[in-house]
């Protein structure tokens, strides 16, 4: 029995010491914890910069930690008053976190960080702010565009990317090969990759929020959802569903675009990285995704990752110093090259991108500066909203509801939620 | 008397790790979630007391009502199926056949596979294009559905996946089956009873407490189903597999409506309590306890 206790306490001692990864240079240095949402090559890029920072001075030591489901865990850590000093956050999380006072406004720290609004591409500054306050600084920015398979296009006799949405539908039809009632390959399908089901409305001139009100069932949105449903109707929902259910996750080698089974797909800046890895022989190009009637030029969704300082962080100044280091153009550029993204600064236009791994990077950068570049609605209840839209999208896709019905339902539910949110906000403001 | 108090004290000390753990990690959270169910609470801001508003909102919430219906459908499909299947296999595995031990192990093994691994595995088996299920159906010329992508087939698929976990109840049934006195079967055989009558009039009544036990546990498990649908369908398509606990989870951790989620948890507790009570009342006369 005694041996058991000895072994047991030894085990405990070992595991306890294992939990604490002691940094090598932390004597007299302030250690700040930095949570990163990425894994794989994106994490490696961040780690390189953290190492560079740690070696460049001897006052601060940044402890980088990759955290899954960061959004949720960060909120709980903040609520539990034990947050990291610094965290990566996706732009769509900013309104929610800011609204709940979960992250620190950075306006007062701007002189210390040494950047100003004019340096940034407008949309990324907007994505970093909420209600006229700055809550984070962008480190890697992206947009999305139409990726098309040049070989398949050539075979079908098409020269370049479609210029209007109607043309895209026509190309899609001709690029679709069906044998014995099942699909060999598809031209295009609006359920792929399925990450921006809410996004299609922008190519019809619609949106989900007008700055004051929920606008789920505005006519442009209904048109967009009618367009989505037309694919289920034309190609036969059932066989199309079976074909699309076979699609692997996009980073897998059986992704349909990469294996030449899908001729066109809406994808982001990072896609080329996966093509290089999984299917280097793929002959592809990218172009702005065409809008209905070709009326709107360069429509896209802009997204970015930001560095934020959580509420209750113990070393805000040190965290700000690291943010300042990360915001240096050469460091942002390093991250952009390694993560297949681009620099959110205006000077990005003059930067040398000849060795950027994405040959179409200039297109993605151009899209980010277009007047038709969109962001997801900057409202704290966006997550619930997106949840409702996804459900409506599925109902429309499975032809359980008409687009008008589905969007009317979203409108009704979200109007109530928006009203409730505003009421609670008022109550909380009074309570404070 | 003094001895008694001392014994009591010692006893308490011995079970104190459990008492402390229970109080800290169960009782306190339960108390808190009941309390928060009367508040608007988003974790980051102090709770605001709003009385019964969360509860009254729940009954006007279409998604909540729909989640109750879909959980009910799932339970009604899953309970009889899993009970019949597990009892059937338990009776088979109770026969004196060659390699019985090996078969028992084989049937128990799947229930040791973690839920998440199970869900991912089945997700591939149900895959509309590459899935093994549709491949086998295809051999017979039947075009299989897109199991998890169709509102009609998604719930049956999850029920089927759940059947993999029947190993646990098979073991419980087996133990009960071995407790049925041989003498009863012998007496019945003398009276000329066949396999079916013996099962109907001896086996089932004798193991009725265990059937009852498995029924109650099954109902509780079904009403709380989470991991498998969360991974396999994430509630889709079109919310056809959006069960009670998934909506609860989303409210708590995605939308940060802890008060609302608390109210859902309290209601779920009441629902489970009521169903257990009703089932107990309904089955009392049918469950046989030897000592009575």
């Amino acid at each position: 029995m005694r041996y058991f206790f000895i072994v047991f306490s030894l085990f405990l001692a070992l595991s306890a010491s294992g939990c604490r990864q002691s940094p090598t240079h932390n004597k007299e240095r302030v250690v700040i914890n930095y949570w990163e949402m990425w894994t794989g090559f994106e994490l490696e890029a961040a780690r390189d910069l953290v190492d560079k920072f740690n070696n460049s001075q001897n006052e601060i030591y940044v402890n980088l930690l990759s955290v899954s489901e960061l959004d949720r865990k960060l909120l709980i850590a903040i609520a539990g008053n034990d947050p990291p000093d610094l965290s990566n956050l996706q732009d769509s999380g900013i309104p929610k976190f800011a609204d709940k006072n979960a992250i620190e406004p950075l306006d007062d720290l701007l002189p210390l960080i040494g950047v100003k609004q004019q340096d940034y591409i407008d949309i990324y500054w907007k994505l970093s702010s909420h209600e006229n306050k700055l809550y984070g600084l962008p480190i890697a920015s992206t947009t999305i565009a139409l990726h098309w398979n040049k070989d398949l296009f050539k075979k079908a006799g098409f020269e370049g990317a479609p210029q209007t949405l109607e043309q895209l539908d026509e190309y899609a039809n001709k690029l679709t090969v069906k044998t014995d009632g099942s699909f060999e390959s598809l031209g295009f399908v609006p359920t792929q990759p399925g990450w921006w089901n809410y996004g299609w409305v922008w190519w019809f001139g619609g949106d989900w929020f007008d700055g004051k009100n929920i606008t789920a069932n505005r006519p442009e949105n209904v048109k967009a959802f009618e367009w989505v449903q037309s694919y289920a109707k034309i190609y036969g929902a059932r066989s199309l569903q079976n074909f699309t259910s076979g699609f692997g996750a996009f980073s897998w080698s059986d992704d349909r675009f990469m294996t030449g089974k899908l001729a066109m797909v809406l994808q982001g800046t990072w896609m080329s990285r996966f093509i290089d890895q999984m299917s280097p022989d793929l002959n592809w190009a990218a172009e702005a995704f065409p809008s209905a009637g070709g009326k709107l030029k360069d429509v896209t969704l802009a997204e970015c990752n930001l560095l934020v300082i959580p509420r209750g962080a113990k070393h805000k100044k040190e965290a700000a110093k690291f943010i300042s280091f990360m915001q240096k153009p050469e460091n942002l550029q390093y991250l952009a090259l390694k993560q297949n993204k681009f620099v959110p600064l205006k000077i990005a236009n003059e930067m040398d991108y000849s060795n950027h791994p994405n040959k179409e990077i200039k297109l993605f950068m151009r899209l980010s500066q277009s007047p038709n570049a969109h962001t997801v609605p900057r409202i704290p209840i966006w997550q619930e909203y997106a949840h409702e839209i996804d459900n409506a999208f599925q109902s429309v896709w499975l032809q359980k509801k008409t687009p008008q019905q589905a969007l009317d339902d979203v409108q009704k539910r979200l109007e109530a939620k928006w009203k409730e949110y505003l009421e609670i906000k008022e109550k909380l403001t009074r309570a404070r | 008397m003094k001895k008694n108090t001392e014994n009591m004290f010692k006893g308490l000390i011995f079970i104190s790790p459990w008492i402390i753990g229970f109080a800290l990690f169960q009782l306190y959270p339960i108390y808190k979630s009941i309390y928060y169910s009367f508040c608007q609470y988003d974790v980051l801001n102090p709770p605001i007391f709003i009385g019964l508003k969360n509860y009254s909102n729940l009954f006007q919430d279409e998604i909540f009502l729909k989640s109750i219906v879909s959980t009910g459908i799932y339970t009604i499909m899953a309970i009889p199926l899993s009970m019949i299947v597990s009892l059937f296999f338990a009776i088979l595995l109770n026969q004196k056949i060659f390699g019985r031990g090996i078969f028992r192990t084989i049937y128990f093994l799947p229930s040791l596979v973690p839920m998440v691994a199970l869900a991912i595995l089945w997700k591939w088996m149900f895959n509309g294009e590459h899935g093994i299920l549709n491949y086998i159906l295809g051999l017979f010329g039947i075009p299989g559905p897109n199991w998890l992508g169709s509102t009609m087939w998604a719930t049956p698929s999850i029920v089927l996946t759940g059947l993999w976990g029947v190993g646990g109840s098979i073991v419980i049934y087996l133990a009960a089956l071995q407790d049925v006195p041989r003498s009863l079967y012998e007496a019945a055989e003398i009276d000329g009873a066949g396999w079916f009558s013996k099962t109907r009039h001896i086996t089932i009544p004798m193991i009725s407490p265990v059937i009852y036990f498995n029924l109650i546990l099954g109902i509780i498990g079904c009403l709380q189903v989470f991991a498998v649908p969360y991974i396999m369908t994430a509630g889709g398509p079109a919310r056809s597999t959006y069960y009670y606990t998934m909506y609860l989870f989303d409210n708590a951790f995605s939308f940060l409506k802890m008060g609302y989620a608390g109210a859902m948890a309290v209601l779920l507790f009441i629902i489970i309590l009521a169903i257990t009570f009703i089932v107990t009342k309904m089955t009392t006369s049918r469950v046989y306890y030897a000592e009575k």
Side-chain angles (χ1 to χ4, degrees), chain B:
Chain B
M1 195 63 197
K2 203 182 161 203
K3 185 81 184 161
N4 262 351
T5 325
E6 202 188 309
N7 272 346
M8 169 88 163
F9 184 67
K10 275 184 187 162
L12 281 177
I13 286 182
F14 272 104
I15 61 163
S16 61
W18 182 84
I19 293 180
I20 293 168
F22 178 73
L24 226 59
F25 299 117
Q26 303 259 338
L27 217 53
Y28 179 71
I30 290 171
Y31 155 72
K32 273 289 181 187
S33 60
I34 294 174
Y35 170 70
Y36 289 141
S37 77
F38 299 107
C39 300
Q40 198 284 318
Y41 181 49
D42 66 7
V43 190
L44 291 153
N45 290 301
I48 304 171
F49 188 80
I50 53 167
L52 288 169
K53 188 127 192 287
N54 283 330
Y55 291 90
S56 63
N57 282 352
L58 268 179
F59 288 104
Q60 288 159 19
D61 182 346
E62 279 167 47
I63 300 179
F64 170 73
L65 299 174
K66 203 180 165 200
S67 77
I68 289 189
V69 173
S70 41
T71 312
I73 293 173
Y74 170 78
T75 308
I76 289 167
M77 281 165 101
I79 293 283
L81 196 65
S82 67
M83 296 214 28
I84 290 168
V85 168
S86 53
L87 187 57
F88 176 73
F89 281 118
I91 290 173
L92 282 189
L93 292 171
N94 201 32
Q95 308 299 315
K96 284 186 184 122
I97 46 160
F98 176 73
R100 191 164 70 165
I102 294 170
F103 284 119
R104 285 181 179 173
T105 315
I106 289 173
Y107 279 90
F108 181 67
L109 271 179
S111 60
L112 295 177
V113 177
M115 286 290 220
V116 176
L118 184 86
I120 289 172
L121 182 72
W122 276 85
K123 199 174 162 179
W124 279 105
M125 290 177 39
F126 280 125
N127 186 297
E129 203 197 6
H130 305 305
I132 190 165
L133 224 62
N134 277 1
Y135 171 75
I136 293 169
L137 286 176
L139 293 181
F140 296 98
I142 307 168
N146 180 17
W147 296 89
L148 299 173
S150 125
T151 46
M152 192 170 118
W153 288 104
T155 292
S157 308
I158 291 168
V159 170
L160 279 178
T161 309
L163 281 187
W164 253 44
V166 295
S169 34
I170 290 180
V171 170
I172 298 174
Y173 278 131
L174 261 179
L177 286 171
Q178 283 160 13
D179 259 1
V180 181
R182 283 288 320 145
S183 57
L184 292 180
Y185 290 118
E186 281 157 11
E189 273 159 24
I190 292 167
D191 289 343
W195 179 85
F196 182 76
S197 335
K198 278 193 285 182
T199 307
R200 163 81 184 77
H201 295 289
I202 298 171
T203 314
I204 302 282
M206 286 306 285
I207 64 165
S208 56
V210 170
I211 296 179
Y212 164 73
F213 172 78
N214 274 339
L215 175 68
I216 295 290
L217 282 197
I219 292 174
I220 295 174
C222 280
L223 293 177
Q224 297 182 357
V225 61
F226 180 78
V228 169
Y230 184 73
I231 288 160
M232 282 173 75
T233 61
R239 292 211 177 106
S240 56
T241 58
Y242 200 45
Y243 302 126
Y244 197 104
T245 45
M246 297 167 82
Y247 189 42
L248 193 158
F249 176 84
D250 273 341
N251 271 310
F253 299 104
S254 303
F255 313 147
L256 290 182
K257 294 181 170 173
M258 282 292 166
Y260 203 60
M264 282 189 77
V266 171
L267 272 185
L268 183 61
F269 174 69
I270 294 170
I271 292 171
I272 289 177
L273 205 65
I275 292 180
T276 310
F277 182 75
I278 293 167
V279 171
T280 309
K281 277 281 162 210
M282 274 167 61
T283 53
T284 315
S285 61
R286 302 198 169 269
V287 177
Y288 169 76
Y289 291 105
E291 70 269 23
K292 274 186 187 167

Side-chain angles (χ1 to χ4, degrees), chain A residues 25-184:
Chain A
H25 307 97
N26 66 344
K27 273 180 196 158
E28 291 152 31
R29 287 173 99 171
V30 179
V31 177
I32 61 171
N33 289 313
Y34 164 27
W35 283 10
E36 183 52 64
M37 61 181 285
W38 297 113
T39 56
F41 70 87
E42 281 142 327
L43 177 70
E44 285 319 307
R47 194 180 295 286
D48 290 347
L49 287 178
V50 166
D51 288 346
K52 186 179 165 194
F53 178 76
N54 285 340
N55 294 329
S56 70
Q57 41 74 49
N58 49 18
E59 283 165 17
I60 304 164
Y61 184 90
V62 178
N63 194 16
L64 176 70
L65 190 68
S66 170
V67 177
S68 64
E69 292 206 27
L70 187 140
D71 211 62
R72 237 169 241 160
K73 288 177 189 164
L74 185 61
L75 271 176
I76 301 300
I78 295 166
N81 212 11
D82 189 25
D85 300 292
L86 196 68
S87 179
N88 187 332
L89 194 65
Q90 261 176 329
D91 64 79
S92 57
I94 291 287
K96 181 165 117 180
F97 276 73
D99 181 64
K100 299 200 181 307
N101 269 338
I103 43 179
E104 298 282 347
L106 298 184
D107 302 86
D108 295 343
L109 291 168
L110 275 185
L112 183 66
I113 299 172
V115 297
K116 46 190 191 305
Q117 182 173 356
Q118 297 85 308
D119 300 341
Y120 290 82
I121 298 173
D122 296 339
I123 202 157
Y124 296 108
W125 190 266
K126 186 182 157 196
L127 285 173
S128 316
S129 319
H130 181 65
E131 293 182 344
N132 298 322
K133 276 188 193 167
L134 184 77
Y135 284 96
L137 282 168
I139 44 173
S141 34
T142 62
T143 51
I144 55 178
L146 175 74
H147 288 64
W148 52 286
N149 184 321
K150 283 167 115 173
D151 289 342
L152 290 179
F153 266 55
K154 208 171 169 192
K155 230 182 5 223
F158 299 128
E159 282 299 314
Q163 296 304 307
T164 65
L165 198 64
E166 293 69 23
Q167 213 172 20
L168 180 134
D169 295 340
E170 187 197 318
Y171 284 21
N173 197 11
K174 288 200 180 133
L175 286 159
T176 299
V177 184
K178 220 174 172 182
T179 44
D180 302 334
S182 60
F183 291 102
E184 279 286 304

Side-chain angles (χ1 to χ4, degrees), chain A residues 313-378:
Chain A
K314 285 166 195 79
H315 307 291
K316 278 178 215 161
K317 277 214 171 112
E318 287 78 4
K321 275 185 188 161
F322 180 68
I323 293 180
S324 167
F325 168 83
M326 290 291 272
Q327 290 301 312
K328 284 190 181 137
E330 66 268 25
N331 293 332
L332 286 175
Q333 172 79 338
Y334 181 84
L335 211 59
L337 291 175
K338 286 274 173 178
Q339 294 192 340
N340 259 52
K341 291 166 186 168
F342 57 87
V343 174
L345 301 173
K346 280 183 185 150
I347 53 158
N349 295 325
E350 293 122 47
M351 279 178 166
D352 177 21
Y353 276 103
S354 53
N355 55 353
H356 194 285
N358 189 335
K359 61 181 180 184
E360 300 279 11
I361 195 66
K362 290 272 178 192
L363 162 77
F364 291 101
M365 282 164 55
R366 185 188 87 208
L367 290 177
S368 75
Q369 292 161 62
S370 145
N372 292 319
H374 289 265
T375 68
V376 298
R378 312 292 292 158

Side-chain angles (χ1 to χ4, degrees), chain A residues 398-417:
Chain A
L398 296 171
Q399 299 177 59
K400 300 272 168 201
K401 285 182 185 172
T402 66
Q404 186 73 51
Q405 265 173 341
L407 291 173
D408 282 347
D409 289 350
V410 175
Q411 179 75 22
K412 200 177 108 204
R413 284 188 60 79
L414 257 296
E415 260 177 15
K417 280 184 199 288

